[in-house]
Amino acid sequence: MMPKEFQISHKGQPRAEEGYLVMDWMLEPEKLTIDTPIHLAVEKMLRARHPNRDIIVTDHDGQYLGLLSPITLIKWLQLGGKLEERLSPDILIEGKVLNLYDAITEIPLGDVEVFPVVDNSGKVQGRLSSNALLLAYQQLLDEKNAVADAWDIVLETAYEGIVMVNSQGKIIRINEAYKNFLGVKEEDVLYKPVETIIDNTRLHITVKTGTPERGKLQVIQGQNMVVHRLPIWRNNKIVGAIGMLIFEGVSDIYRILEQVNEAKRVPHSLQEGSVHPTLDQPKVTFEAIKSKSHELAYCKSLARRSARTSATVLITGESGTGKEMFAQAIHHLSQQNKGAFVAVNCAAIPEGLLESELFGYEEGAFTGAKKGGRKGRFEQAGGGTIFLDEIGDMPLFMQAKILRVLQEKEIQPVGSEQTRTFSGRVIAATHVDLEEKVKKGEFREDLYYRLNVIHLQIPPLRERKQDIPVLLSHFIQHFCSLYHLPYKTFSNTAIEVLMNYDWPGNIREVMNLVESLVTLVDSEDIQQTDLPPKVMKKAFFHEGDVQMPIEKQQEQVALASLPYPLKKNQLAHEWQEIQNVIQACNGNKSEAARRLGIHRTTLYQKINRIKKVIKNM
C-alpha cells in the first residue's frame, strides 16, 4: 500500500532547476520483490557494499511497497521469524519516498541512509543515498559561493560606488569604491545611520517611502553626483535600500556627451563657440588621480571637502607625489573653477624676478620694463586659483608680501603706489618641513599659520604600495596609446620587484620608468630582466614576513641579472636539489625543510616561487 508521505503534487513538472533534481543524483535501485525468501534477502544484504543500508521492496509490477531494514529484520528473526519464510508488508518500514522531480534543496539532511525514488505512477526508478545528498549540497554550496564571489566582483566594479542600508536606514554594506570616495574605513561606517556618513543622502527616506529615485543629482563632499536610490522589497515588505553612484562627477557626463557628439560637430560650430567652456581646456579632476589605497582615498576625501570654500590649502609631500594634481583637482571642483588656474614654481624663478613675476609691474618701473606694464601671476589668477609650488624655498622678503595678500586680499605691482584687490584662492605646496624651517628662522611663523588653514599631507608611494599596480596599469595604457604601440603588460615577477622597490621619485618616477620600458622593450610582456639595474638593486625581497639577509638579496639580484640560459639553468639546479631532498624524505616536506635548514613555510614559498619564475621565462 502506498505510504501516506508519498504524494504526487507536481504532475510531472520539475520543481527545481536542472542539476538540482533528485533524478540528477539518484543511483540504480538495490531492490527486492515482495514474496522473496528471507534467506535470499539476508544474502543480498551481506553482498551489498553497505550491508547496514535499507533495501527497497516493490511488488511484482515495480510499485514501491517499503524498505527492508537490517535492524528490523534482525528483530523479526529474534521474535521467531524463519529464514524460509517470505517477505511480507508487515516486515517493511515506510521510509521517506522521493519523486524524480523533487528538489534536492528541499530534502532535509538526517540519519536516513537511503531514499527510494519513484516516478509519478509510484514505480521505483532509483535510490538517493545520504552520501549523494551530501555531495549535492556541497556542489550547491560551492556554486552559491562562486555566484556570491562573482556578485561581489560586480558590486565592486559595476559602479563608482554602492552602499546598502537595512530597514532602519543603517549601512550594512559599502563597496571599496564608495569607501575610497568618502575616505572612510568599513568599520567606521557599518551599522551607522547612512545620513551621518553620506552628505545629502535620501536612502533613509527611500526605505520609508519605498519610492525609487533614478538619475538624481546629489551633492557629496561639495561635488555634484549622479545617483540611483532603489528600495529592496521582500515578501511585500521593504527590507532595505541600495544607493548607486553612477558618475563621480557631473563633469564626466559632459565629457561623455562630448565624445558622443564629436562626430556630429560641423567646422563652423567651433568658431561660434558652441563647445562647453569648461571642456576647452584639459582638467585634472579627482577621478584622474589614480589610486586604490585608503591613505590616498582619505587625502582625496579631505581635498574634496576643502573645495567647498575658498580657504587656503597647504599641500605637503615628497617630490613627485602629485601635489599639483591635487591643487588642480581642488580648483576644478571649487567655486573658483570659472577663473584660471595659475601655477608658479617659487624655486624656479630667480629671486630678483620673483616679485615682478608674482605681482606684475607698472610701465617704467625698471629698465627694460614692458610698455604698458604687465599683470602678475596673482592678478592673472583673479577669480580663480594661484598655486604657489615649493613655497618653502621663497625668500623671507617675499614671504612678507605673500602674508599681506592672504591677510588683506590686496596686491601691489612693482613701481605702483596703488593696490589692487585679489579675489582668487591661494593653494601652496612644499616638499620641505615648514615647521622645522620656522624653528630655524627660515620661514615666517605668521605666514605658516596663514597657509596652514587646511593641511593636506600626500603620503609617499612607498607608504601606499596598493597604488603601484594601479599606476603601472594606467601609465602603460597611456604611453602605449600615446606612441601608437601594442598594449604591453608586466609579468608577475616584474610586478613583484616593482612592488618591493621604494620609489624615491614617487609617481613621477613610475611615469618615467613606464615610458622608458614601453619605448625600449620590444616584447609585449615586460619581464623582470627588462627592469633597470637600479630598481633591482634597491628592491627589497622577502620570504614570508621576514626580510631576506643582504647576501640573499644579492643572490636574487644576481639571478635576475643573469642571461636567460644561465638563469634558467640555475633555477633548474635549485629545483632539482629540492626535489632530491623531498624524494629522500619520502615526500615528507617537513623533514625536507629540516634537512635544507629552512622553515616548512619557506620551503613551500620557495617551491611556488621557482615554479612561477620558470613558468614566466
Side-chain angles (χ1 to χ4, degrees), residues 61-105:
D61 294 326
Q63 294 282 329
Y64 174 73
L65 294 178
L67 294 175
L68 179 63
S69 166
I71 296 176
T72 304
L73 181 57
I74 291 171
K75 288 182 179 179
W76 180 80
L77 291 172
Q78 288 175 339
L79 292 174
K82 304 297 183 182
L83 292 174
E84 293 77 18
E85 295 184 43
R86 296 179 178 272
L87 284 177
S88 60
D90 58 326
I91 305 178
L92 307 180
I93 59 175
E94 289 187 352
K96 171 68 176 176
V97 184
L98 304 178
N99 187 276
L100 290 169
Y101 297 105
D102 281 339
I104 284 287
T105 53

Side-chain angles (χ1 to χ4, degrees), residues 155 161-175 178 192-195 198 201-213 228-234 237-245:
L155 290 181
I162 293 181
V163 63
M164 189 181 298
V165 300
N166 61 15
S167 57
Q168 287 79 46
K170 295 182 178 180
I171 296 174
I172 58 175
R173 188 162 186 183
I174 183 169
N175 75 341
Y178 220 143
K192 301 288 179 62
V194 66
E195 65 270 21
I198 302 175
T201 185
R202 287 176 50 84
L203 273 180
H204 56 301
I205 298 174
T206 302
V207 169
K208 294 178 182 178
T209 64
T211 303
E213 300 178 357
H228 291 335
R229 307 182 189 100
L230 306 174
I232 303 173
W233 294 83
R234 183 175 297 162
K237 182 180 179 182
I238 298 177
V239 295
I242 187 167
M244 292 170 280
L245 187 64

Side-chain angles (χ1 to χ4, degrees), residues 346 388-395 399 429-432 434 437 442-443:
C346 300
L388 301 176
D389 197 10
E390 303 301 350
I391 197 170
D393 297 325
M394 181 175 284
Q399 293 178 26
T430 181
H431 72 284
V432 300
L434 287 186
K437 297 202 75 167
E442 298 174 356
F443 199 86

Side-chain angles (χ1 to χ4, degrees), residues 38-39 72 154 174 194 254 305 361 366 382 408 540 579 597:
I38 296 296
H39 68 88
T72 304
V154 171
I174 183 169
V194 66
Y254 289 129
R305 292 196 292 271
Y361 54 83
F366 50 83
E408 308 297 335
F540 293 96
Q579 292 294 92

Side-chain angles (χ1 to χ4, degrees), residues 540-553:
F540 293 96
F541 296 88
H542 294 77
E543 288 196 5
D545 295 327
V546 182
Q547 185 171 320
M548 290 183 186
I550 187 66
E551 60 271 13
K552 190 67 174 177
Q553 294 184 30

Side-chain angles (χ1 to χ4, degrees), residues 449-469:
Y449 288 117
R450 277 289 180 181
L451 291 171
N452 197 24
V453 177
I454 299 175
H455 184 193
L456 199 62
Q457 173 70 43
I458 312 297
L461 193 54
R462 63 180 175 274
E463 294 180 5
R464 44 186 177 96
K465 292 294 186 76
Q466 285 178 295
D467 291 340
I468 294 174

Side-chain angles (χ1 to χ4, degrees), residues 281-293:
Q281 48 186 312
K283 292 183 178 181
V284 176
T285 64
F286 287 108
E287 296 86 349
I289 302 175
K290 305 300 178 184
S291 66
K292 188 179 180 182
S293 65

